[in-house]
Amino acid sequence: MQIKEAYLHVLDVISDVKLLSERPTEIDFEIEDYVEKHVGVFFDNLDISTMDYTPNSKVTLEGHVFKEVSLQVADLFYDAMTYSEDIKPCDLMCIHFEREDRDYYGFLKLNFRTSFAHAVELQENLIVNKIIRQVTTLPYKSQKVEEGFLIDLTENKVLVKDKQVTIDGYKSRYITEKVLCLNGVMTTKRKIDLITKTAEKVIEKYDDQPLVKTAKLRKMVTEHLDESGSLDMQNIVSECFDTEVSKDAYLKELDEKGVNPDSLKMNEGQTKKLKRTQRIKTASGVEIILPFEYVSRSENLNIVNNSDGSVSIELKNLGELL
């Protein structure tokens, strides 16, 4: 990653502060490393929405140099902050960078982090040490950026890490709807959750081994994404649903929820973050975590509903204890 130009704007509606930088920020090696860590979130995480950039967006690029775009975006963020107390004060890091032969504009919302420090006072010639609250420090390099977006200038795509806030009594994904003014799309994580949880609901209704079949579907989804970064839903549905009725019911529910599995695309960094285990909880407080690979084989797991209403779980083929 190579940073070509950067501006840092201070946005704090609570203190009525909007300080917009008039000159580029100097980027040394440590700062570049800090920014690169946060930019990586947009390429590797599952909670990112990818949508087409269109001229209808409030962020206009044509005829503007990067400094002008950064000032425009800072104003849009500040305006959004005035409508909701849920949007935290921040430093808005605006960067023009190149990554893997693609050109990007990036806008990282570095929310102020509350921390504490000591302060020394003199009272009647006596030293008094106090603890004071500070709210102007930025996120650690190891923390994830909570909000922001990148514009892929090469592909005309926008990668958004958004947050739902309350504006005028309504829930709103404020970056997508208020800052960018684009039509929002589901995050990768949301699509996977709906694909698997909808399957769990339908399988529970139509199958006598719902836990095994659900684990099999989750396993197949993970394997497909590992191998190709996409899903072959025809193959998954054929393997995990035994009747035409259950297949139709599943695909109908996905359609009603607006999920298009064919649009799901993932890169290698994202597939590493896929969930690969199934959690079983009981009313007695017992919790078991098992790999999809294990649960998806019916010979490994036996669940018995006892006459007294309790459930017995038998695990087989566990291998040797470590």
Side-chain angles (χ1 to χ4, degrees):
M1 173 178 164
Q2 179 189 0
I3 297 177
K4 299 179 178 180
E5 193 175 3
Y7 293 88
L8 188 71
H9 305 307
V10 181
L11 308 176
D12 185 353
V13 170
I14 296 172
S15 303
D16 195 23
V17 171
K18 181 168 69 170
L19 298 174
L20 304 181
S21 184
E22 297 176 336
R23 288 187 176 180
T25 300
E26 291 187 10
I27 302 293
D28 60 20
F29 174 77
E30 287 188 333
I31 296 176
E32 184 170 10
D33 185 51
Y34 175 84
V35 172
E36 188 170 358
K37 291 286 185 185
H38 289 305
V39 165
V41 166
F42 291 86
F43 299 99
D44 296 337
N45 280 27
L46 301 178
D47 57 347
I48 303 298
S49 298
T50 302
M51 59 196 77
D52 293 328
Y53 171 80
T54 70
N56 295 327
S57 172
K58 285 185 179 179
V59 180
T60 55
L61 304 179
E62 190 174 352
H64 294 281
V65 297
F66 180 63
K67 176 184 176 180
E68 293 170 346
V69 176
S70 81
L71 294 171
Q72 177 190 156
V73 171
D75 283 337
L76 290 169
F77 266 103
Y78 193 83
D79 288 345
M81 289 176 177
T82 63
Y83 290 103
S84 177
E85 295 179 354
D86 297 338
I87 307 174
K88 299 177 183 178
C90 70
D91 282 352
L92 185 68
M93 173 63 79
C94 307
I95 49 173
H96 178 196
F97 66 96
E98 185 178 314
R99 184 182 187 270
E100 296 180 356
D101 297 323
R102 291 190 179 186
D103 217 20
Y104 293 88
Y105 284 171
F107 306 92
L108 310 180
K109 187 170 180 290
L110 306 176
N111 292 332
F112 294 158
R113 183 177 56 87
T114 300
S115 61
F116 296 87
H118 70 263
V120 180
E121 292 184 2
L122 203 61
Q123 297 180 3
E124 297 178 358
N125 293 324
L126 296 175
I127 293 175
V128 178
N129 295 326
K130 293 185 175 182
I131 295 176
I132 60 172
R133 183 170 175 266
Q134 296 179 316
V135 292
T136 56
T137 54
L138 298 179
Y140 294 123
K141 184 168 68 175
S142 58
Q143 292 177 302
K144 296 176 183 177
V145 168
E146 295 178 29
E147 301 130 75
F149 65 94
L150 309 181
I151 300 177
D152 182 340
L153 301 173
T154 307
E155 295 288 337
N156 267 348
K157 297 286 185 182
V158 186
L159 289 73
V160 185
K161 186 169 174 48
D162 214 339
K163 181 181 179 182
Q164 187 167 271
V165 301
T166 301
I167 297 178
D168 295 331
Y170 297 94
K171 293 293 184 181
S172 170
R173 294 282 177 182
Y174 82 95
I175 294 179
T176 302
E177 297 173 24
K178 301 298 181 183
V179 176
L180 288 164
C181 199
L182 292 174
N183 293 323
V185 298
M186 291 182 191
T187 64
T188 301
K189 182 178 185 302
R190 178 65 175 159
K191 288 179 184 177
I192 294 173
D193 283 347
L194 285 175
I195 287 169
T196 55
K197 288 179 180 178
T198 301
E200 185 176 352
K201 176 183 172 183
V202 174
I203 289 170
E204 184 77 36
K205 181 178 179 180
Y206 290 99
D207 202 283
D208 58 355
Q209 286 188 308
L211 198 64
V212 173
K213 281 292 177 65
T214 299
K216 183 176 181 179
L217 182 134
R218 291 178 183 272
K219 172 176 168 284
M220 289 189 70
V221 166
T222 303
E223 287 177 346
H224 281 224
L225 293 173
D226 278 339
E227 291 169 6
S228 65
S230 60
L231 296 178
D232 180 352
M233 284 306 293
Q234 185 175 353
N235 176 245
I236 291 173
V237 170
S238 175
E239 289 289 327
C240 299
F241 295 88
D242 295 330
T243 67
E244 291 302 318
V245 173
S246 61
K247 292 175 185 177
D248 292 343
Y250 176 56
L251 294 174
K252 182 181 178 182
E253 281 218 35
L254 284 184
D255 185 59
E256 289 175 350
K257 291 174 180 177
V259 182
N260 178 12
D262 294 335
S263 69
L264 184 59
K265 305 294 180 186
M266 296 179 66
N267 58 43
E268 186 177 349
Q270 290 175 315
T271 58
K272 289 178 180 178
K273 293 180 166 49
L274 287 171
K275 182 181 176 183
R276 299 171 190 274
T277 57
Q278 184 149 334
R279 190 184 301 267
I280 302 173
K281 289 184 179 180
T282 71
S284 62
V286 174
E287 192 170 309
I288 307 171
I289 300 175
L290 300 168
F292 293 151
E293 176 69 33
Y294 179 85
V295 186
S296 64
R297 299 176 185 273
S298 58
E299 65 269 21
N300 291 340
L301 184 70
N302 187 31
I303 298 178
V304 179
N305 294 302
N306 301 316
S307 58
D308 61 359
S310 64
V311 174
S312 297
I313 300 175
E314 183 182 5
L315 304 178
K316 302 177 241 181
N317 305 316
L318 292 171
E320 60 185 65
L321 294 175
L322 299 179

